[in-house]
Amino acid sequence: MKKLAALLLLLLLPLAPAEAGGKKIKKVKPGDNPIEFRAFSQPLSDEDRLDHALARLTFGARPGDREQLKRIGFDKWIEAQLHPERVPENPLLAGRLAPLESLRLNIHDTYTHYPPPQAIAAVARGKGALPDDPELRALVVRLADRYLERKQVAPKAAGTTGGNVQGALSNFADDADLEPRVHLRDILTPAGIATLRSGKPDDKRRVLESIPAAKRVDFTWALRPAQRRQLFTLAPVELRRELMLSVSPQTVVASDLSEGKLLRAIYSTHQLQELLVDFWFNHFNVFLNKGADRYMAPTYEREAIRPHIFGKFHDLLLATAKSPAMLFYLDNWQSSGPPENERFNARRRRQRGLNENYGRELLELHTLGVDGGYTQKDVVEVARCFTGWTIAAPRKGGGFEYNDKMHDHGQKIVLGHVIKAGGGMSDGLKVLEILAKHPSTAHFISLRLAQRFVSDNPPPSLVNRMAKTFRKSDGDLRKVMETMIYSGEFWSAAAYRAKVKSPFEMVVSAVRATNADVTSAFLLANEVRRLGEPLYGKLEPTGYSAANAEWVSSAGLLDRMNFALALANNRVPGVKTDAALWEEAAQKDPLGVARSLLARDPSEQTKGAIEKSLSSARPAQVPSLVAGLTLGSPEFQKR
C-alpha cells in the first residue's frame, strides 16, 4: 500500500498544473536586514536544501523520501504540498482512522454516543432519557446499573420521567444487546485466561487480538473495571475502545482525537497541510478538558480549522469565532449586554454580564498581536460586539446560535471605526472584517508563521514581504506560505537546523524515520504527554509555543532518549519499527545506521556516545541500540 501511494504521487504530479512551477527563490541581499540577520543571505547547498525541505515542510523524512524528492524536483514537490487536493491521500491512512468513530460525528452525536458521567448518573436516578439506538441504550443501561451498584443508590419508582435502570433492564431483557453477564470461560480457553492473568505483555496482546469482533462486548463486560483499564495499552484499537467505553465513554473522544492527529502526521501524503493544521489549532487554541469542549474539539478542528488553512484568513477567523468550542472555551457563550426587557431582566441573575475573554484574545492572540495598537477600551468594545454569540441548546444540536436578547445594541467604537447602534449579530462580523484587513494582523500572522517555519527570530525582510502578500491578496494564506517558502531566507544557512522539535514533532519524526507500522497510536499519545505536550491539552489560549526555549531542558532530552530507545527496540505497543532497515548497514559499519537516520554523519559527540555504548553490547543489540541513540541525539532533535 505504501508503494502504491508513492507510485500514484509520482504518476499524478506531472499532470497537476504547476502555477508556481519554475518559481525562483527570491535572493536576499546583505543590506536587506540589520547586521544580526546577515546569515539569512547565505544560501544552502543542494544537499542541505533536500534535508531542509523534508525537515520544515514535513514531519520528517521517511526512508526513500529524499530520493523521491530528487526525482520529482523541488517545484513540483512544493506545489503538491501547497495544493494537497491535487495529490491522492495515502490509502493506508483511511484504514488506520476508520475505527476512530468520534472523529466523524457532530457535537450532538458525540455527546450521545460517548455520554459523560453526569448523563449516566441522570439515567441511573431516573432523570435522564435512554438513547433510542439499541447499542447505545445497552451501554447506558449497563453503565447506569454499575453506577447504582457503586453508589448504592436506590432506583426511583417505575414511571419516573425518563424511566429507571431496573425498569430498563426488565423492558429490554430479551434484547440481544442485554444478554446475561458472561464469564471469561465462555469466551477464552483456560490457557487464554491464565495468560491474561499472569502472562507476558506480548502473550496477553496475542490473546486479546484473537477475540472475535462478535465477542468484544461480552468480553469487556466479563471483566472488572480495574481489569479493563489494565488492558487499555495492550488491546487492539477496536477492543480498546470497547474497554474504554465501559469505563468512561467520554475519554474515548479525547483518545480518538489524539490518535487521529498522530496517524495523520505519520501517514498523510499531505504533510504541509498537517503541519498547518497543528499550527492553526495552536494559534486558535481551545482546551480539550474544559467541560463541553471534550465533545466540541473534534468538530472544531474538522470544520473550523482544517478547511481554511490554505484559504482566506477572514474565513478562518470567522469559523473559529462561531465555533461552539471557542465560544465555550473563552466563555463568550455567556457574555451578554444590558437587559432590554423585563423578561430578560428577571433572568439576569443567571447571566454573567459582559465577558471580555474572547475580545482580549481575539485582539492579542488571534489577529493584531500584543503590540498591535489596541487599547483596553477596544477590548471592551469588541466584547460588546460579540454579546449574543452563543451556543444552541443540546436539543438543537449544540451548534452556533445568535441570541439577540443577550446582545448589547448600543453604539461601539473599535480601533476608531464606529459601529452604529442596532446592528445585532453584524456588529461582530464587522469587527472580524476590520481585524482581518488590519496591517497589524498581516504583520502578526506573518511573524507567527515565520517563527514556526523559519526561525524563532526571523529577519524583518521576510516578515515584511509576507505581510505585504497578506495585504495584497486579502489574507490569502496559501499565497503567504508561497512567499515564505520561495524566499531566500527560508533556504538560508541561518534557518538550517535552527528549530528544535516539539515533543509531538519528535515522536512523529522518529516513527517516520524508522518506517514504523502504527496499528494503534494510543501509547504514542501517552509518550507525547509524558514528554511535556499533551495533545489538545494546553490550558492557556496561547497554544503550544514553537520557540526552542520551550522544549530544551536536560530532563526533557533524557526523556526523549528513553523514548527513542524504546521505539527502536519495539517496546512501544502498537508500533512496529522496520529493523531490517538497519541490520545490513550495521553489519558493514554500525555508524551507517546513524547516517541513514540523519542523512549525514553524526557529530563527534554522538559518535562517541554510540561507540562507548557498543563496547558492552551484544551483536544482536547493535542495530536497535545505534538507532535508538541516534533518534535521541541532539542532531535528531533539530529540524
Side-chain angles (χ1 to χ4, degrees):
M1 296 294 281
K2 296 177 185 176
K3 291 181 178 179
L4 175 61
L7 178 61
L8 287 171
L9 180 64
L10 288 171
L11 291 174
L12 292 175
L13 276 174
L15 302 178
E19 297 171 356
K23 276 191 175 181
K24 291 184 178 181
I25 295 173
K26 185 175 180 58
K27 293 183 178 180
V28 186
K29 299 176 182 178
D32 288 349
N33 290 295
I35 192 168
E36 63 266 30
F37 296 101
R38 293 294 168 82
F40 285 97
S41 62
Q42 300 173 13
L44 293 172
S45 67
D46 288 344
E47 283 301 308
D48 287 344
R49 285 181 67 203
L50 279 171
D51 295 336
H52 192 59
L54 293 168
R56 292 297 173 86
L57 303 180
T58 78
F59 277 100
R62 298 189 75 121
D65 279 358
R66 285 170 55 85
E67 292 72 20
Q68 186 182 52
L69 176 52
K70 285 181 179 179
R71 289 195 302 269
I72 295 172
F74 273 98
D75 282 346
K76 288 182 178 178
W77 186 84
I78 290 172
E79 283 304 295
Q81 294 301 321
L82 286 168
H83 296 271
E85 71 280 358
R86 299 174 181 174
V87 181
E89 184 55 280
N90 182 352
L92 190 63
L93 177 60
R96 293 289 190 267
L97 294 175
L100 311 180
E101 178 202 40
S102 67
L103 297 181
R104 300 180 290 275
L105 299 179
N106 59 34
I107 295 170
H108 177 268
D109 289 348
T110 304
Y111 184 90
T112 303
H113 283 65
Y114 305 94
Q118 57 267 33
I120 302 299
V123 171
R125 291 168 174 163
K127 295 182 179 180
L130 289 167
D132 294 330
D133 181 270
E135 292 184 6
L136 293 177
R137 185 173 59 218
L139 171 66
V140 171
V141 165
R142 288 186 177 108
L143 289 168
D145 188 39
R146 195 181 74 207
Y147 172 91
L148 289 175
E149 292 175 358
R150 186 172 66 248
K151 297 294 185 181
Q152 296 182 345
V153 176
K156 295 203 173 190
T160 303
T161 303
N164 63 74
V165 176
Q166 298 301 329
L169 285 170
S170 61
N171 290 339
F172 303 111
D174 295 331
D175 285 4
D177 290 318
L178 292 177
E179 294 175 356
R181 180 183 174 92
V182 295
H183 297 278
L184 287 178
R185 63 176 177 269
D186 298 322
I187 302 169
L188 299 175
T189 64
I193 296 173
T195 299
L196 282 186
R197 287 174 177 166
S198 57
K200 295 179 180 179
D202 286 345
D203 294 331
K204 290 182 178 182
R205 195 174 297 113
R206 281 190 284 272
V207 170
L208 295 174
E209 290 171 350
S210 71
I211 296 172
K215 292 290 186 179
R216 285 180 194 141
V217 173
D218 286 344
F219 171 77
T220 296
W221 290 93
L223 299 168
R224 295 189 300 274
Q227 292 175 311
R228 298 171 204 168
R229 292 189 181 92
Q230 292 170 1
L231 297 176
F232 282 178
T233 61
L234 299 175
V237 178
E238 292 86 351
L239 178 57
R240 175 176 51 74
R241 294 180 85 257
E242 288 290 347
L243 293 168
M244 295 178 76
L245 272 169
S246 70
V247 173
S248 177
Q250 66 178 7
T251 62
V252 180
V253 181
S255 178
D256 283 358
L257 193 58
S258 295
E259 284 199 77
K261 184 179 183 73
L262 281 159
L263 291 170
R264 288 188 174 100
I266 291 165
Y267 284 113
S268 179
T269 308
H270 309 146
Q271 283 286 292
L272 180 57
Q273 172 179 280
E274 297 309 317
L275 285 168
L276 286 169
V277 169
D278 181 60
F279 170 84
W280 286 114
F281 192 99
N282 279 298
H283 185 83
F284 294 104
N285 184 55
V286 301
F287 178 50
L288 177 66
N289 291 323
K290 180 177 179 178
D293 271 329
R294 293 185 180 95
Y295 298 97
M296 297 173 177
T299 302
Y300 177 64
E301 181 173 278
R302 186 181 68 242
E303 298 181 3
I305 302 292
R306 188 169 286 276
H308 303 293
I309 59 171
F310 286 117
K312 295 297 182 74
F313 178 74
H314 174 271
D315 296 337
L316 175 58
L317 188 63
L318 175 60
T320 58
K322 293 178 67 176
S323 169
M326 182 64 74
L327 291 166
F328 187 86
Y329 173 55
L330 292 178
D331 303 313
N332 199 84
W333 71 288
Q334 293 179 314
S335 184
S336 62
E340 295 186 354
N341 56 62
E342 292 182 3
R343 180 182 177 188
F344 186 79
N345 191 49
R347 299 176 182 174
R348 179 67 174 172
R349 61 182 177 272
R350 296 208 297 266
Q351 303 296 333
R352 296 184 179 179
L354 186 68
N355 189 295
E356 299 175 12
N357 289 354
Y358 178 68
R360 179 173 294 103
E361 308 308 346
L362 176 64
L363 297 173
E364 178 180 333
L365 297 178
H366 298 174
T367 57
L368 305 180
V370 68
D371 299 318
Y374 66 90
T375 67
Q376 174 59 26
K377 176 65 173 174
D378 289 313
V379 171
V380 174
E381 296 292 271
V382 168
R384 292 178 60 211
C385 289
F386 283 97
T387 50
W389 288 48
T390 187
I391 303 170
R395 66 180 181 278
K396 296 181 180 179
F400 171 79
E401 182 176 81
Y402 171 71
N403 185 339
D404 194 62
K405 293 178 180 178
M406 295 174 66
H407 186 63
D408 183 331
H409 290 276
Q411 176 181 286
K412 298 98 176 172
I413 301 177
V414 176
L415 299 170
H417 296 264
V418 176
I419 298 178
K420 295 180 180 180
M425 180 179 167
S426 67
D427 291 354
L429 297 175
K430 289 176 182 176
V431 169
L432 297 179
E433 185 175 351
I434 291 167
L435 294 176
K437 295 180 180 298
H438 199 283
S440 292
T441 297
H443 184 273
F444 182 63
I445 298 302
S446 299
L447 175 64
R448 289 292 301 273
L449 284 166
Q451 287 174 329
R452 169 63 181 79
F453 286 93
V454 181
S455 169
D456 284 3
N457 187 23
S461 58
L462 173 61
V463 177
N464 291 337
R465 282 202 310 280
M466 292 170 67
K468 182 179 179 180
T469 298
F470 188 104
R471 295 191 301 271
K472 288 181 62 177
S473 66
D474 193 25
D476 189 317
L477 297 175
R478 197 191 319 263
K479 291 186 181 300
V480 174
M481 287 296 295
E482 284 180 350
T483 298
M484 183 192 73
I485 293 173
Y486 285 101
S487 71
E489 295 92 339
F490 182 83
W491 302 101
S492 69
Y496 184 61
R497 296 171 59 76
K499 297 287 295 180
V500 173
K501 297 172 183 175
S502 70
F504 172 55
E505 292 164 344
M506 186 271 166
V507 167
V508 171
S509 64
V511 172
R512 286 174 61 82
T514 57
N515 204 37
D517 181 35
V518 182
T519 54
S520 172
F522 178 71
L523 259 294
L524 284 179
N526 286 347
E527 290 291 342
V528 176
R529 181 185 300 108
R530 189 174 61 84
L531 292 175
E533 190 184 5
L535 299 177
Y536 305 97
K538 183 65 171 176
L539 174 63
E540 299 82 5
T542 54
Y544 288 115
S545 172
N548 291 349
E550 185 77 13
W551 307 115
V552 178
S553 70
S554 55
L557 293 175
L558 178 61
D559 287 339
R560 292 180 184 219
M561 177 63 77
N562 290 333
F563 164 73
L565 289 168
L567 176 70
N569 285 278
N570 279 317
R571 294 201 303 266
V572 180
V575 183
K576 180 72 172 176
T577 57
D578 190 354
L581 290 171
W582 318 319
E583 290 174 355
E584 185 177 349
Q587 290 175 358
K588 298 177 182 177
D589 175 12
L591 289 177
V593 177
R595 293 189 195 98
S596 67
L597 290 170
L598 297 173
R600 66 181 61 82
D601 285 329
S603 67
E604 291 301 319
Q605 179 186 4
T606 299
K607 283 182 184 177
I610 291 174
E611 290 168 351
K612 183 178 180 180
S613 298
L614 291 180
S615 63
S616 59
R618 297 192 302 271
Q621 296 174 319
V622 169
S624 57
L625 177 60
V626 177
L629 292 172
T630 303
L631 295 174
S633 69
E635 295 100 295
F636 194 81
Q637 307 312 310
K638 296 179 180 179
R639 57 178 179 84

